[in-house]
């Protein structure tokens, strides 16, 4: 209130002033709290002009007066950044409504430049483990809003103009904006799902409106990641398909992002949400075909670390670790069946890991099943090339393990049955290879 009293209510109508103030608050919070824990990515953020700095100094002096000892209503650093983020959220909500109704959102070039810098700052804050939980929660929500506003502004320019009626002349741009409007409809689930489907269609069509504009692409990624958190299966399943479509259409950029979302230790996603990302990764692997070896160096070490439980988040229970390991092993099995050659480089380590799961009596039933399925998938992936492509020691290990499990008194009948199938298929492949005409 002291800001409004000193500068008048018009201060909140000038986007550049408000954004400059918010950026300064976020900068100070980062410098004081988490700067030492963030790696420099080599990019230089754009900073406000001298006029903006003068405005910032005036605004911050007012805040600092409230921080003086003995002054009522003292506000600390965390409270200030929370207020700044909530102010930003309100500004973004109002801008969204204007954009969806065809009105100018009120952002000039200077404001957009500040907003992009703020977006980078919020990403840094929300991704850092040193950030206070309450700040992280609001920062993640506001990050999505900022991404949508930047996308709606068409910041790259030149791909759609607004006519005198406020209607976007470019059909695909209008379709994109309509999809974002549907996605933001929190009241009607079918409308939300329709927006996600429309965005996915634009991605699959390799629309330049999405793939040719970094800020729109960031917004689409943000929508899909945000909506996999939905409790409604109709929404999150379409979001999973959307993530998979992004990996198909923009593999070089997005497959690493998908892997990071799935494998990250300190992820903003819950275990269930990470498993949903894993489903998107699974779909992408199935469609990758012969190009899968390109992504194998990114995938295999991270997946193996999860299976071996060497990258478990601190405090994770054994039950959660088993679920993550089962999921990762299922993805490795899909890789084996899609393009077994992609795993050749790590075959010794994979074989030892899978064999260790089957030997250990403490292994969860679901994990043992997944281990057997992996061996069968590897057999089917190589086919008649198995003997030529896989080391004989690994083949002996595979045969010995499968036979032992199939003839054991394993309490899980399905595990024994799958092991027997594996023994029979391995015998058939070896016989066929040895007795080729």
């Amino acid at each position: 209130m002291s800001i409004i009293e000193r500068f008048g209510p018009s201060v909140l109508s000038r986007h550049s002033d408000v954004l400059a103030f918010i950026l300064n608050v976020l900068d100070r919070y980062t410098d004081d709290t988490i700067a030492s824990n963030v790696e420099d990515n080599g990019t230089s953020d754009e900073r406000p002009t001298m006029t903006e700095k003068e405005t910032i100094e005036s605004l911050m002096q007012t805040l600092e007066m409230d921080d003086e000892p003995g002054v009522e209503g003292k506000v600390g650093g965390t409270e200030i950044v929370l207020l700044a983020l909530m102010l930003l959220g309100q500004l973004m909500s109002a801008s969204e409504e204007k954009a969806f109704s065809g009105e100018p959102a009120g952002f000039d070039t200077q404001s957009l430049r500040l907003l992009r810098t703020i977006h980078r700052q919020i990403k840094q804050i929300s991704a850092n483990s040193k950030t206070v939980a309450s700040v992280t929660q609001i920062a993640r929500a506001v990050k999505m809003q900022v991404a949508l506003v930047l996308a709606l502004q068409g910041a790259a320019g030149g791909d759609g103009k607004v006519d005198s009626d406020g209607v976007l002349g470019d059909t695909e741009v209008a379709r994109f904006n309509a999809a974002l409007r549907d996605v933001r409809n929190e009241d009607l689930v079918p409308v939300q799902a329709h927006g996600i489907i429309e965005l996915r269609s634009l991605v699959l069509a390799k629309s330049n409106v999405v793939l040719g504009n970094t800020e729109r692409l960031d917004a689409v990624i943000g929508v899909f990641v945000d909506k996999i958190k939905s409790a409604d299966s109709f929404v999150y399943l379409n979001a999973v398909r959307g993530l998979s479509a992004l990996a198909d259409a923009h593999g070089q950029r997005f497959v690493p992002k998908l892997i990071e979302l799935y494998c990250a230790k300190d992820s903003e996603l819950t275990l269930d949400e990470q498993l949903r990302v894993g489903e998107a990764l699974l779909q992408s692997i199935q469609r990758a075909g012969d190009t899968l070896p390109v992504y194998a160096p990114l995938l295999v070490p991270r997946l193996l670390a999860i299976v071996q439980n060497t990258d478990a988040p601190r405090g994770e229970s054994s039950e959660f670790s088993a679920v993550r390991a089962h999921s990762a092993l299922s993805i490795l099995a899909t890789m084996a069946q899609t393009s077994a050659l992609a795993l050749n480089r790590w075959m010794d380590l994979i074989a030892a890991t899978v064999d260790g799961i089957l030997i250990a009596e403490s292994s969860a039933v679901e994990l043992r099943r997944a281990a057997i399925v992996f061996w069968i998938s590897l057999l089917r992936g190589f086919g008649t090339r198995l003997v030529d492509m896989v080391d004989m020691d690994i083949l002996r290990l595979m045969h010995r393990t499968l036979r032992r499990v199939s003839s054991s008194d394993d309490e899980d009948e399905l595990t024994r049955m799958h092991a027997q199938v594996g023994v029979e298929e391995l015998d058939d492949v070896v016989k066929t290879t040895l007795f080729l005409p």
Side-chain angles (χ1 to χ4, degrees):
M1 288 301 296
S2 58
I3 296 174
I4 296 175
E5 288 173 2
R6 179 165 181 173
F7 295 98
S10 62
V11 71
L12 296 179
S13 66
R14 296 193 297 270
H15 286 173
S16 60
D17 292 345
V18 176
L19 292 174
F21 163 68
I22 292 170
L23 177 58
N24 187 264
V25 171
L26 297 179
D27 275 342
R28 288 180 59 170
Y29 180 78
T30 301
D31 292 342
D32 294 343
T33 311
I34 61 176
S36 61
N37 196 48
V38 178
E39 295 180 357
D40 184 10
N41 60 10
T43 60
S44 58
D45 291 348
E46 299 176 34
R47 289 302 179 214
T49 64
M50 183 60 66
T51 303
E52 293 165 351
K53 285 183 177 179
E54 291 172 358
T55 304
I56 291 169
E57 287 171 1
S58 298
L59 290 168
M60 292 309 298
Q61 282 172 6
T62 304
L63 283 174
E64 286 167 357
M65 285 191 297
D66 288 338
D67 281 336
E68 292 177 3
V71 177
E72 292 185 9
K74 180 179 178 180
V75 181
T78 300
E79 288 76 13
I80 291 174
V81 79
L82 285 171
L83 288 170
L85 288 171
M86 287 188 283
L87 175 61
L88 181 61
Q90 290 298 314
L91 183 61
M92 294 301 100
S93 295
S95 301
E96 279 182 47
E97 290 178 12
K98 287 182 178 180
F100 288 145
S101 62
E103 301 176 28
F107 290 104
D108 54 19
T109 303
Q110 180 179 333
S111 299
L112 286 172
R113 179 167 56 83
L114 284 165
L115 193 57
R116 292 188 198 106
T117 306
I118 287 171
H119 192 220
R120 289 194 291 270
Q121 195 75 289
I122 293 174
K123 282 182 179 178
Q124 180 176 296
I125 290 172
S126 63
N128 197 283
S129 59
K130 294 290 185 180
T131 306
V132 177
S134 57
V135 174
T136 299
Q137 184 179 4
I138 295 180
R140 286 171 178 169
V142 174
K143 178 179 68 174
M144 175 72 177
Q145 289 182 285
V146 175
L148 290 179
V149 169
L150 285 172
L152 288 166
Q153 290 296 312
D159 51 3
K161 297 182 179 179
V162 180
D163 62 23
S164 58
D165 297 324
V167 180
L168 286 164
D170 189 293
T171 305
E172 285 198 339
V173 175
R175 185 181 169 194
F176 173 80
N177 287 359
L180 286 187
R181 182 180 61 243
D182 289 347
V183 165
R184 299 295 285 170
N185 190 321
E186 300 293 339
D187 298 323
L188 297 173
V189 168
V191 174
Q192 267 192 63
H194 176 265
I196 296 170
I197 292 169
E198 280 289 283
L199 291 177
R200 177 174 174 266
S201 298
L202 287 170
V203 170
L204 288 174
K206 297 189 176 179
S207 167
N208 193 54
V209 166
V210 176
L211 301 183
N213 183 305
T214 301
E215 284 164 347
R216 288 198 182 110
L217 182 57
D218 284 343
V220 171
I221 293 170
V223 166
F224 291 154
V225 171
D226 182 64
K227 293 307 176 184
I228 63 168
K229 303 173 185 178
S230 173
D232 192 284
S233 61
F234 189 40
V235 173
Y236 78 68
L237 287 175
N238 278 301
V240 165
R241 295 187 187 103
L243 289 173
S244 179
L246 276 170
D248 293 346
H250 217 295
Q252 291 294 334
R253 171 177 177 175
F254 195 68
V255 168
K257 170 73 173 175
L258 207 56
I259 294 168
E260 184 58 34
L261 281 170
Y262 176 72
C263 297
K265 291 183 185 181
D266 300 314
S267 174
E268 64 183 82
L269 305 178
T270 65
L271 174 64
D272 188 47
E273 291 160 1
Q274 281 187 302
L275 295 181
R276 294 174 186 179
V277 174
E279 178 60 31
L281 195 55
L282 202 70
Q283 293 175 13
S284 300
I285 288 169
Q286 288 171 331
R287 291 193 291 270
D290 294 336
T291 65
L292 186 57
V294 175
Y295 304 109
L298 294 172
L299 270 166
V300 178
R302 302 290 297 273
L303 294 172
L304 274 176
I306 293 174
V307 175
Q308 295 167 340
N309 197 31
T310 57
D311 79 334
R314 187 176 297 175
E316 181 178 76
S317 70
S318 58
E319 181 182 354
F320 274 27
S321 295
V323 172
R324 292 178 80 235
H326 175 269
S327 173
L329 202 49
S330 298
I331 294 174
L332 283 170
T334 303
M335 291 182 71
Q337 196 151 3
T338 302
S339 178
L341 285 172
L343 303 179
N344 241 11
R345 176 176 162 189
W346 300 272
M347 195 58 69
D348 288 342
L349 184 56
I350 293 172
T353 301
V354 173
D355 190 57
I357 291 170
L358 293 169
I359 289 174
E361 295 181 359
S362 59
S363 296
V365 172
E366 291 79 7
L367 196 54
R368 292 172 63 80
R369 288 178 185 173
I372 295 293
V373 169
F374 173 81
W375 280 137
I376 295 173
S377 298
L378 191 69
L379 287 170
R380 294 172 180 172
F382 277 117
T384 55
R385 299 175 300 167
L386 181 71
V387 175
D388 295 326
M389 301 304 299
V390 179
D391 186 83
M392 192 57 65
D393 289 338
I394 293 176
L395 289 179
R396 291 193 188 98
L397 175 66
M398 186 191 307
H399 189 268
R400 184 169 60 247
T401 303
L402 289 172
R403 186 171 292 282
R404 183 182 67 247
V405 174
S406 67
S407 60
S408 70
D409 56 353
D410 194 298
E411 62 182 21
D412 183 52
E413 183 179 354
L414 192 57
T415 300
R416 295 198 307 272
M417 184 182 72
H418 280 162
Q420 183 57 40
V421 170
V423 171
E424 292 170 1
E425 291 195 16
L426 180 55
D427 288 343
D428 288 343
V429 169
V430 172
K431 288 176 184 176
T432 302
T433 306
L434 292 178
F435 298 105
L436 282 173

